[in-house]
Amino acid sequence: MDDTLMDRLRASVSRYGPLSLFLIPTLAIYLFFAIYPTLSVIGYSMTKWNGISPEKTWVGFANYTKMFSDRIFWEAFQNTFVWSAVIVVINVGLGLVIAALLSRVWRGRLILQTLIVLPVVISPMAVATIWRWMLQPKGVINETLTSIGLDGLARPWLGDPDVVLFALAFAHSWSTIGLSVIIFLAGLQSVDEDLYDAAKIDGATTFQAFRYVTIPALRPVTAVVFILTLTAAFKAFDLIWATTKGGPIRFSEILSTYMYKRGALENQYGYGSAIGVALLVIVSLATLLYLKLQARPEDR
Amino acid sequence: MASRLIVFGILALIAFLMTAPSAMTLFTSLKPPEELILPAWTPPASITFEHFERVWTDGGFRRYFLNTILISAVDAIVMIGLASMTAYAMVFMSFRGKLALQVLFVVGLMIPVTAIILPLYTTIRSVGLINTHLGVIFADLALAMPVFVFMFSSYFVSIPRALHEAARIDGATEFQIYRRVVMPVSVPAIITTGLLEFMWSWNDLLLRLLLLPREGMRTLSVGLLNFQGQQTRDIAGISAGTVIMAIPVVLLFLFFQRHFVRGMTAGAVK
């Protein structure tokens, strides 16, 4: 009896031993520090809790009803969409144009590409100091505008309610557009050369070829860039926090900064978590769409 | 021919504008005090390292730098080990629940760090790891794990099965096959994972702001945020701090551009 028990034990060790060696360290870390907090954020969002006291009161959906009638939440929500829309338009539109131009250059292409993509690796915190300095009232942007006679356009970019969100979106795009360029370039390499030859024979101009051959052929890649840019914009926090902290007043407040203020600074863990769940739902849906788009080529 | 020149000209202009912000920051960090009143776009007439020395010693950047490099290096190395072993199990071993595991990692791809920082903070506090580098390392590893598990998996799938079978027939254990057969042919995936995880870890602010509030524990991102808030007039010092923060990843990018480009295209979801 002991023998068979030992045998079975030995058999199961040799069966599952290596497997657990390979999986358990990762699973332990992943489940505890990623999955558990994700489930907790949903749990927290249904409580009233200051984050410290042992007393955590169950409130059901009260935080959500509060959220939906919170004017500041909707302002942040709207700002998040405006901020994301500006970034998407720049990164998809300009990103495609830059990639298309780069694909037509041979000599000097690597250096041009390197300079354009380089800001991608710079930390959002460093991007924040660079742009805060350039956008200040006496900063280099206003200095340049004044020196070329466009004084009328000069303004305190980060202090002006009408432009602050756009100025920050522009800084975000500066530091992320390189990623769009890289992905578009990869896409452009896979466009069938014969299509261009056919277009040329039909007498199409370069612009027409771009409009009627390149753009349709790049539709799947464009969708990928679109969603990646969108989710990255939705998740952003560092750049805005390090420049305006959502200000002036709330003119650059987005969901992530509002959540941080309510949750981490004002210790409203329940309410902050409800905002977190809103963010989670939006980003998850967009990522799910992305994964579906990515999976498609393999299905064919 | 003319159109080719126009294209090149437009791109050169774009590249110039894209580089200008970084270049001006570098200029400012190297200018002696008397040159700082000149417009930002003028290159320094004479170079000084006094601003770097000041932030490095008095500004605490030496400590921030060491903290950051420690966390990022550990993150990168451990990530290579854990993600590759997990991917190995998922590609080369058969076990029940493999599909469930895959789904679990796909779910992880969809979790934005921003949305879960409040419970992440309390989870790390519950095991006493606030203000420890270990706490940040665990969080970094957990949150980026799915990206790299999939990166290694897609690489491993392309390794010929025969290689693995041959080693098994020779009596090698799974760990030996992983160590001696699979990993040596996976150098590109290893480099890409190490570089990307190092960069993400180096650049992050949010998690470090929340998990490492104590001065001695701070990373460059948190240190720079604080320095910028306290020494608002010290433009040259802030620029020097920014350069210190940016230079390591910029150099890595210049040396390993191909790997970065491939990795960022594949791991773009994070």
Side-chain angles (χ1 to χ4, degrees):
Chain A
M1 170 117 173
D2 271 354
D3 267 3
T4 56
L5 189 66
M6 280 306 286
D7 283 348
R8 266 159 65 185
L9 200 63
R10 202 169 288 140
S12 79
V13 164
S14 69
R15 172 96 180 76
Y16 295 108
L19 185 66
S20 28
L21 169 79
F22 279 91
L23 288 181
I24 284 178
T26 297
L27 276 181
I29 295 174
Y30 180 60
L31 290 175
F32 192 67
F33 292 102
I35 299 298
Y36 174 64
T38 307
L39 298 174
S40 302
V41 78
I42 300 166
Y44 284 8
S45 74
M46 305 201 181
T47 63
K48 187 174 161 56
W49 187 37
N50 66 8
I52 303 154
S53 91
E55 205 175 313
K56 207 187 280 177
T57 325
W58 173 264
V59 296
F61 288 97
N63 286 321
Y64 290 96
T65 36
K66 180 179 164 191
M67 186 170 87
F68 289 128
S69 57
D70 177 358
R71 208 167 40 82
I72 306 177
F73 170 79
W74 287 114
E75 277 174 35
F77 191 83
Q78 197 187 331
N79 285 343
T80 309
F81 269 92
V82 172
W83 146 272
S84 305
V86 174
I87 292 165
V88 164
V89 168
I90 298 176
N91 286 20
V92 174
L94 198 57
L96 174 59
V97 171
I98 294 175
L101 291 176
L102 271 174
S103 70
R104 296 168 57 86
V105 170
W106 294 111
R107 197 172 296 170
R109 172 167 161 183
L110 185 65
I111 184 150
L112 289 171
Q113 187 184 323
T114 304
L115 291 176
I116 290 168
V117 174
L118 198 58
V120 164
V121 300
I122 298 177
S123 157
M125 181 60 232
V127 174
T129 57
I130 294 173
W131 284 84
R132 209 169 87 124
W133 166 66
M134 295 206 306
L135 292 167
Q136 68 190 8
K138 285 182 181 162
V140 66
I141 305 269
N142 284 342
E143 252 180 90
T144 310
L145 288 171
T146 312
S147 72
I148 55 172
L150 291 171
D151 317 46
L153 289 176
R155 63 193 67 212
W157 298 93
L158 298 181
D160 184 333
D162 295 332
V163 298
V164 59
L165 199 57
F166 294 91
L168 289 175
F170 192 80
H172 179 98
S173 275
W174 172 75
S175 75
T176 53
I177 196 169
L179 190 57
S180 317
V181 172
I182 291 174
I183 300 173
F184 276 128
L185 267 176
L188 281 166
Q189 274 161 9
S190 61
V191 179
D192 192 352
E193 282 293 326
D194 292 349
L195 291 174
Y196 289 114
D197 293 339
K200 205 173 272 171
I201 291 164
D202 289 346
T205 63
T206 309
F207 178 76
Q208 282 171 328
F210 180 72
R211 171 70 189 79
Y212 296 104
V213 177
T214 312
I215 290 184
L218 285 183
R219 199 161 288 155
V221 180
T222 310
V224 165
V225 176
F226 177 86
I227 294 182
L228 284 180
T229 311
L230 188 70
T231 52
F234 260 103
K235 288 187 273 193
F237 169 87
D238 296 2
L239 175 62
I240 292 190
W241 193 253
T243 45
T244 62
K245 288 197 164 62
I249 312 177
R250 293 185 292 274
F251 288 101
S252 62
E253 192 87 270
I254 61 169
L255 288 175
S256 62
T257 55
Y258 187 47
M259 177 199 67
Y260 190 84
K261 280 180 188 168
R262 280 305 178 96
L265 299 187
E266 293 168 15
N267 290 325
Q268 300 183 39
Y269 271 62
Y271 191 54
S273 293
I275 304 170
V277 171
L279 211 53
L280 185 67
V281 169
I282 300 170
V283 175
S284 303
L285 287 178
T287 314
L288 203 60
L289 197 62
Y290 168 79
L291 292 172
K292 262 186 95 168
L293 285 170
Q294 266 228 324
R296 204 173 288 164
E298 282 141 30
D299 292 346
R300 274 190 216 130
Chain B
M1 196 58 222
S3 80
R4 207 169 261 182
L5 270 177
I6 294 170
V7 168
F8 192 89
I10 296 171
L11 282 170
L13 180 68
I14 293 171
F16 172 78
L17 292 174
M18 291 294 286
T19 316
S22 322
M24 289 187 298
T25 307
L26 182 64
F27 291 168
T28 306
S29 71
L30 293 168
K31 278 181 185 173
E34 64 274 13
E35 281 187 50
L36 286 171
I37 41 159
L38 297 174
W41 58 76
T42 53
S46 58
I47 284 175
T48 175
F49 289 102
E50 64 181 270
H51 310 301
F52 285 94
E53 282 162 21
R54 187 172 70 249
V55 298
W56 189 256
T57 48
D58 305 340
F61 276 70
R62 199 180 94 92
R63 170 43 69 85
Y64 304 151
F65 190 88
L66 294 176
N67 286 340
T68 313
I69 218 160
L70 172 77
I71 295 175
S72 304
V74 173
D75 268 355
I77 293 166
V78 178
M79 182 61 91
I80 291 169
L82 290 183
S84 64
M85 287 178 82
T86 309
Y88 179 91
M90 287 172 65
V91 172
F92 294 112
M93 297 165 91
S94 53
F95 56 93
R96 266 163 59 193
K98 192 191 268 188
L99 188 68
L101 195 62
Q102 263 165 356
V103 172
L104 193 67
F105 283 123
V106 172
V107 168
L109 281 182
M110 305 191 295
I111 303 171
V113 185
T114 323
I116 64 162
I117 46 150
L118 298 175
L120 188 60
Y121 175 80
T122 52
T123 302
I124 287 173
R125 192 182 56 192
S126 73
V127 285
L129 292 177
I130 295 296
N131 270 322
T132 67
H133 293 145
L134 196 60
V136 176
I137 289 168
F138 276 137
D140 286 344
L141 290 173
L143 294 163
M145 189 63 76
V147 175
F148 296 113
V149 168
F150 286 121
M151 196 175 282
F152 271 110
S153 298
S154 63
Y155 197 85
F156 289 168
V157 167
S158 68
I159 295 174
R161 277 272 170 184
L163 209 60
H164 186 259
E165 291 305 322
R168 189 174 279 165
I169 289 164
D170 287 348
T173 65
E174 293 289 0
F175 191 74
Q176 284 167 334
I177 304 174
Y178 160 80
R179 188 63 231 288
R180 303 250 156 81
V181 178
V182 171
M183 286 307 262
V185 297
S186 304
V187 175
I190 293 170
I191 296 177
T192 305
T193 299
L195 287 172
L196 274 192
E197 177 60 19
F198 185 91
M199 177 182 79
W200 285 340
S201 169
W202 187 277
N203 286 348
D204 174 70
L205 171 68
L206 176 59
L207 272 179
R208 281 130 183 89
L209 190 62
L210 210 56
L211 300 178
L212 299 173
R214 191 186 295 154
E215 162 69 25
M217 287 293 154
R218 280 178 194 156
T219 60
L220 280 171
S221 53
V222 185
L224 184 57
L225 179 68
N226 260 35
F227 188 85
Q228 152 191 275
Q230 282 162 8
Q231 314 286 328
T232 37
R233 321 272 311 250
D234 186 3
I235 293 302
I238 295 172
S239 299
T242 307
V243 171
I244 293 174
M245 168 133 221
I247 281 284
V249 280
V250 166
L251 289 179
L252 279 179
F253 178 78
L254 293 178
F255 279 118
F256 298 99
Q257 182 164 183
R258 218 159 33 89
H259 293 96
F260 262 105
V261 166
R262 191 179 41 223
M264 285 191 296
T265 330
V269 249
K270 190 179 175 266

